[in-house]
Amino acid sequence: MAHIPVQHGPSASTLGTPRSQIGVVVDRQTVDLKRLEKRVGRVHWQQRVGIEADHATQIFGRGRTFFHIENWYSIHTVIRLTLKALGLYGRGLRNAAAIQIRHNDVFLPHLPKAFDGFTLLQLSDLHLDMDEDYPAALIERLRQIHYDACVMTGDFRAKTYGPFDAAIAALAKVRPHLRAPIYTILGNHDSIQMVPAIERLGIATLLNEAVTLEHGGARIHLAGIDDPHYYQVDNFDKAAANIPPEEVSILLSHSPETYRLAAHAGFDLMLSGHTHGGQICLPGGIALMTNADCPRAFCRGAWRYHTMQGYTSTGSGASVVGVRFNCPPEITLHHLRVAPTQ
Ligand SMILES: [Fe+2]
């Protein structure tokens, strides 16, 4: 099988680096990417990097849905000009900057008592390089909240391909305002080659992997799958391999499209993003499109499938065009609770 070469572009880690040291930095990136390839395995690595290389100009017919508006850059201009002509563009920008803090109580029957009240902050779909003022707006909200661990459900970059330096630089600005531990997954806007830079910021990336969260002498499990929407490189077998079935487990999945696989894999809670709740909605929050191959009930807010509970964040950023209507951006605090006995 042919080995797909990694494309090295300028990266966040070379920003501001003297020219004489750039060779050393590039060598370090090569070592980091080789280490990452070994960690995720040859097949996952080649599929992810290969599809990223194929991806650059494809609009139709890949991934779980036929049409990917996020990949069709000429339509972005059409939407922007239409909103300007209708006099709605300014209002849409203001809506997109007004990030809400949402609370979601999750009652879990088998949650260890020590985790009663444990709070997870979920950040999703930051698209950090969409607007240079966005990190400051997000930081202002982060200063107002308290939580025990942070999880991120993917989509750091605005575009679906190309350089990611600006997104990483913006993430570096936000990072000091986040409380550790911090875990993330990758979305369909993210390259696997971003992972070393993300992890150098102290944000662990779960690529079909799981970690154990310990608190007060008890433990639960947090797993994360790689993007299931466009790349379809999610692997439940690998992600859940070391999770005892009788213990509480939470899954991070960029898109809610995996709800059936996750429920039947035995997860207790699934946290997702990707849909942006529609981002541009009719009054009442009716999405014009969700960009997800699943029922709309799974595309925004809290939901349940069999015994698994789920939550799909509207995201705190915006993509395609940086506006929102009838669908506020959010950061979400999930408060884990022991379910009362019946
Ligand atoms: Fe997104």
Side-chain angles (χ1 to χ4, degrees), residues 14-337:
T14 60
L15 292 175
T17 303
R19 201 173 271 274
S20 60
Q21 294 176 24
I22 284 179
V24 175
V25 172
V26 170
D27 279 352
R28 188 180 69 179
Q29 288 172 352
T30 304
V31 170
D32 285 345
L33 292 174
K34 281 282 170 200
R35 195 175 290 145
L36 183 60
E37 177 180 355
K38 194 171 174 194
R39 179 176 129 198
V40 301
R42 180 179 58 82
V43 171
H44 182 177
W45 179 260
Q46 290 193 178
Q47 288 174 334
R48 199 34 152 107
V49 172
I51 296 169
E52 285 181 20
D54 291 346
H55 175 28
T57 56
Q58 287 169 345
I59 303 166
F60 300 110
R62 309 283 171 171
R64 283 177 180 260
T65 54
F66 178 74
F67 174 66
H68 297 272
I69 192 171
E70 69 273 28
N71 300 350
W72 191 10
Y73 290 96
S74 51
I75 198 73
H76 303 186
T77 305
V78 171
I79 295 170
R80 193 176 300 111
L81 291 174
T82 303
L83 289 169
K84 282 182 178 175
L86 293 170
L88 293 171
Y89 189 64
R91 194 202 306 172
L93 291 177
R94 288 192 295 279
N95 291 343
I99 301 170
Q100 294 190 348
I101 298 168
R102 300 190 77 85
H103 296 266
N104 179 44
D105 285 322
V106 183
F107 290 92
L108 297 167
H110 307 297
L111 186 72
K113 278 205 173 99
F115 275 89
D116 195 29
F118 191 89
T119 298
L120 288 171
L121 166 65
Q122 182 189 5
L123 301 179
S124 196
D125 299 272
L126 302 178
H127 300 289
L128 284 151
D129 50 333
M130 190 78 184
D131 172 2
E132 63 181 23
D133 295 330
Y134 171 73
L138 178 60
I139 289 165
E140 190 210 322
R141 285 290 179 264
L142 293 173
R143 286 192 176 125
Q144 300 170 21
I145 58 173
H146 300 282
Y147 53 91
D148 298 290
C150 174
V151 297
M152 306 170 97
T153 40
D155 274 8
F156 294 99
R157 181 168 58 179
K159 288 193 170 183
T160 50
Y161 67 93
F164 48 79
D165 302 58
I168 296 293
L171 183 61
K173 282 185 195 167
V174 173
R175 172 61 185 90
H177 304 276
L178 294 173
R179 176 188 172 143
I182 311 167
Y183 301 96
T184 192
I185 51 174
L186 298 181
N188 59 305
H189 283 247
D190 301 321
S191 165
I192 197 168
Q193 297 184 48
M194 297 164 70
V195 170
I198 291 171
E199 296 203 326
R200 275 196 289 277
L201 294 172
I203 301 171
T205 311
L206 300 175
L207 294 158
N208 302 324
E209 296 165 306
V211 293
T212 301
L213 302 179
E214 296 186 359
H215 183 67
R219 67 181 198 174
I220 60 174
H221 302 271
L222 178 70
I225 48 173
D226 198 357
D227 172 53
H229 173 74
Y230 187 85
Y231 289 98
Q232 297 180 288
V233 281
D234 50 303
N235 187 317
F236 280 84
D237 275 342
K238 284 168 74 176
N242 297 316
I243 300 176
E246 69 280 8
E247 297 186 10
V248 166
S249 58
I250 300 169
L251 178 70
L252 307 180
S253 169
H254 177 60
S255 169
E257 290 161 301
T258 54
Y259 70 98
R260 277 189 299 195
L261 293 167
H264 292 298
F267 286 99
D268 298 286
L269 172 66
M270 177 169 129
L271 303 179
S272 296
H274 175 66
T275 64
H276 296 202
Q279 189 174 313
I280 297 177
C281 296
L282 299 173
I286 300 165
L288 297 178
M289 59 189 298
T290 59
N291 197 19
D293 182 22
C294 65
R296 287 191 169 219
F298 300 97
C299 290
R300 180 174 176 174
W303 46 265
R304 174 183 280 271
Y305 186 72
H306 294 304
T307 59
M308 186 182 78
Q309 296 173 70
Y311 190 93
T312 304
S313 168
T314 61
S316 55
S319 69
V320 180
V321 180
V323 299
R324 282 182 178 264
F325 293 97
N326 302 304
C327 185
E330 67 177 76
I331 60 176
T332 320
L333 293 165
H334 299 284
H335 306 287
L336 306 188
R337 312 276 188 203

